[in-house]
Amino acid sequence: MEEIHWLTYIMIILASYRFTHLIVFDKITEFIRKPFLKDKTYQDDDGHLKHKEIPTSKFGYLLNCYWCAGVWSAIFMALGYLYIPQIALPIIFIFSIAGAQAILETFVGVGVKLVDFLKSSSN
């Protein structure tokens, strides 16, 4: 087996992260998840009604579970890289940039919210 350069490995990790997030959380792929989920209403400990989408099948669970989808996403990215690198590398490259951007945005967003919170609490 060919040795994978560390930068390629990081790109595959980031691409897998972003692809997993796309499948499990993003609004644009909601139409894929929707047929495999049902809405369940329940009452929490405080008596409030809550809504939660639960899977109706194992495939629905796969689409709703970050850890499960992450494994399949990693397999998809790794096998793509190993067997069809001409097609997979551009996809990995784009998803890795988007994944790194999402991680950075999370830290920036948390920082901005913290600054806003500190400003409002000092008034």
Side-chain angles (χ1 to χ4, degrees):
M1 186 167 140
E2 180 184 329
E3 188 174 322
I4 297 176
H5 189 272
W6 68 269
L7 189 55
T8 304
Y9 186 67
I10 298 297
M11 285 175 56
I12 293 170
I13 291 169
L14 290 169
S16 178
Y17 163 76
R18 185 63 191 100
F19 188 63
T20 301
H21 200 279
L22 179 70
I23 292 168
V24 177
F25 298 114
D26 288 359
K27 188 82 168 162
I28 196 167
T29 54
E30 191 174 79
F31 74 97
I32 297 170
R33 294 186 303 273
K34 204 68 161 164
F36 303 100
L37 301 172
K38 68 179 179 180
D39 194 40
K40 181 179 180 180
T41 303
Y42 66 97
Q43 195 169 9
D44 67 9
D45 295 336
D46 297 328
H48 299 103
L49 286 180
K50 300 279 186 169
H51 297 281
K52 180 178 183 179
E53 287 186 329
I54 59 170
T56 58
S57 65
K58 291 193 187 298
F59 190 70
Y61 188 74
L62 169 73
L63 294 173
N64 200 43
C65 171
Y66 190 79
W67 302 108
C68 303
V71 170
W72 291 104
S73 173
I75 290 169
F76 177 76
M77 292 294 169
L79 291 179
Y81 172 76
L82 293 173
Y83 292 106
I84 49 171
Q86 301 83 2
I87 296 170
L89 271 173
I91 294 168
I92 290 169
F93 183 69
I94 291 166
F95 272 101
S96 69
I97 293 169
Q101 183 275 331
I103 292 168
L104 288 172
E105 179 58 34
T106 299
F107 287 112
V108 170
V110 168
V112 168
K113 288 177 185 174
L114 178 62
V115 168
D116 290 345
F117 173 76
L118 293 173
K119 281 182 183 178
S120 68
S121 65
S122 67
N123 292 333

